[in-house]
Amino acid sequence: MNRIIFLDYARAFALFIVVFAHLYSVDSDVKLYAYAFHMPLFFLISGYLHKDAETIPLIKKMAKRMLIPFCFFLFIGYLFCVISSKSLAIGTAHASVKGIVLGQDIAANDILWFLLALFSVRIIGNAFIRKPLKYGIPSCIIFFVMLFFHINFLYLGTSMMALPFYLLGYYGKDKIDVLVHNKYSIIISIICLACTIILSNFNGKVSMMGMSFGNTSFEWLNIILFYLNGIIGTLMVLCFSGMFKKEARIVSLVSKCSISIVGIQFIPIMIWISKLGFNQSYGISILYSFAIIICSVVFHLIIEKKANWLLGGK
């Protein structure tokens, strides 16, 4: 299968940022800048790769690709908690179910919210693209209602928050290609990096899972800055990735194994934090992030051979 090289690099870079940001610190500039763009980037890439489909077949396909891996990695996370606590971890199970329903932290594996949100975004985005007039206005109404009342039932609030990035990836595909393959792409990337740092410091930490747009005194300004920074940060990564013209097998492999990197990183990160805590040196954290990604890839390849359906495959 022909792969889109710059998207493989962009996804691999974003995956590393995700692992490193979860590992390195609770509150730091690293997390402040990373959270500004790493999730918007994933949703925009998904929109870029969007293919039109009938609603019911798409729901079945996405259930297979997202919900089965979600349950699989949730079980693994819960099993880890049981082994760690040497008990049935009933509190963890209850907190996980509550977190899923309310769209909050999932105690057994709080990184899995992304799979549920992406499941919804793919379905809502497909409906919007197929019939924008019919589904566009209801989508906007749902978004503003959820935003006003801060409702995130089953991460639908987060999904509506991510939908603009998905649609931008789909409708802006041609423009993105022009920017990425522009001879000045590195300059564009550097400018976007500077803008991301400035806007992130002004807007503060954001969280798509927590439906937090920023920390200024004005909610609507937070929303504007969130989307502006998400777009700029995403373009930064895409333009930087566009400089790589040759396919690298390891990069393609990391990109291919992204669902396992998202799902399994929780365990080595929790082991790390329990033993050493946050805020280790950059060098050690970078090395351990690479180690987590390598272990996740190995895990993915093993499961893929034995039971690929657990990872959303055929």
Side-chain angles (χ1 to χ4, degrees):
M1 180 178 68
N2 293 327
R3 303 190 64 87
I4 303 175
I5 296 174
F6 81 90
L7 289 186
D8 276 345
Y9 278 94
R11 191 184 282 115
F13 177 74
L15 286 166
F16 173 80
I17 291 296
V18 168
V19 175
F20 182 77
H22 285 151
L23 174 70
Y24 177 70
S25 176
V26 178
D27 293 301
S28 70
D29 289 342
V30 171
K31 187 158 287 190
L32 177 69
Y33 303 143
Y35 275 40
F37 66 86
H38 70 327
M39 285 297 112
L41 173 62
F42 282 116
F43 287 109
L44 187 141
I45 290 176
S46 295
Y48 183 101
L49 297 172
H50 173 86
K51 293 182 179 179
D52 186 43
E54 295 290 337
T55 302
I56 299 303
L58 179 64
I59 291 175
K60 293 179 179 179
K61 179 181 178 181
M62 287 300 103
K64 182 178 180 181
R65 293 187 60 184
M66 298 295 163
L67 299 189
I68 291 178
F70 173 84
C71 294
F72 175 55
F73 289 116
L74 183 64
F75 172 75
I76 290 178
Y78 173 71
L79 189 62
F80 169 75
C81 293
V82 169
I83 295 173
S84 300
S85 62
K86 298 179 180 179
S87 68
L88 290 178
I90 301 300
T92 299
H94 177 267
S96 296
V97 173
K98 180 180 178 181
I100 292 169
V101 173
L102 298 180
Q104 300 172 352
D105 287 333
I106 304 174
N109 190 336
D110 62 0
I111 304 170
L112 293 180
W113 68 267
F114 173 71
L115 298 183
L116 289 184
L118 185 57
F119 170 79
S120 299
V121 169
R122 289 279 282 115
I123 295 168
I124 297 171
N126 184 70
F128 188 101
I129 290 168
R130 298 193 77 198
K131 297 181 179 180
L133 294 179
K134 182 176 181 180
Y135 295 105
I137 294 177
S139 295
C140 291
I141 293 174
I142 292 172
F143 171 73
F144 286 116
V145 168
M146 287 186 158
L147 173 62
F148 184 81
F149 293 103
H150 206 76
I151 299 172
N152 201 19
F153 175 71
L154 295 176
Y155 303 101
L156 286 174
T158 295
S159 301
M160 297 306 299
M161 189 177 175
L163 183 61
F165 295 112
Y166 187 89
L167 296 176
L168 179 62
Y170 176 76
Y171 289 112
K173 181 177 179 179
D174 292 339
K175 299 295 183 182
I176 291 171
D177 286 338
V178 171
L179 285 173
V180 167
H181 300 297
N182 190 296
K183 63 180 180 179
Y184 300 111
S185 61
I186 183 60
I187 297 176
I188 296 173
S189 182
I190 292 172
I191 293 173
C192 288
L193 173 61
C195 292
T196 297
I197 292 173
I198 294 171
L199 291 176
S200 296
N201 281 307
F202 183 74
N203 194 37
K205 184 182 173 182
V206 302
S207 171
M208 294 194 73
M209 188 275 287
M211 289 185 69
S212 174
F213 290 90
N215 298 319
T216 71
S217 302
F218 305 97
E219 182 68 24
W220 295 108
L221 178 59
N222 290 337
I223 295 173
I224 293 171
L225 290 175
F226 167 77
Y227 284 109
L228 181 61
N229 209 11
I231 293 169
I232 291 173
T234 295
L235 288 178
M236 171 191 69
V237 177
L238 293 177
C239 288
F240 176 76
S241 301
M243 294 188 300
F244 300 94
K245 307 301 181 183
K246 294 184 178 181
E247 181 178 356
R249 180 170 176 78
I250 184 62
V251 172
S252 299
L253 190 59
V254 168
S255 179
K256 171 190 171 184
C257 301
S258 58
I259 198 163
S260 290
I261 296 173
V262 169
I264 207 69
Q265 62 176 281
F266 172 81
I267 294 176
I269 287 176
M270 291 305 297
I271 293 174
W272 170 275
I273 293 172
S274 65
K275 299 297 183 181
L276 299 175
F278 286 110
N279 296 321
Q280 301 300 313
S281 71
Y282 276 106
I284 294 176
S285 297
I286 288 172
L287 289 175
Y288 193 59
S289 297
F290 278 120
I292 289 174
I293 290 174
I294 292 171
C295 290
S296 299
V297 169
V298 172
F299 172 88
H300 184 102
L301 295 177
I302 292 173
I303 300 299
E304 186 179 48
K305 289 183 178 180
K306 303 297 182 179
N308 192 32
W309 61 275
L310 290 173
L311 303 174
K314 296 180 180 180

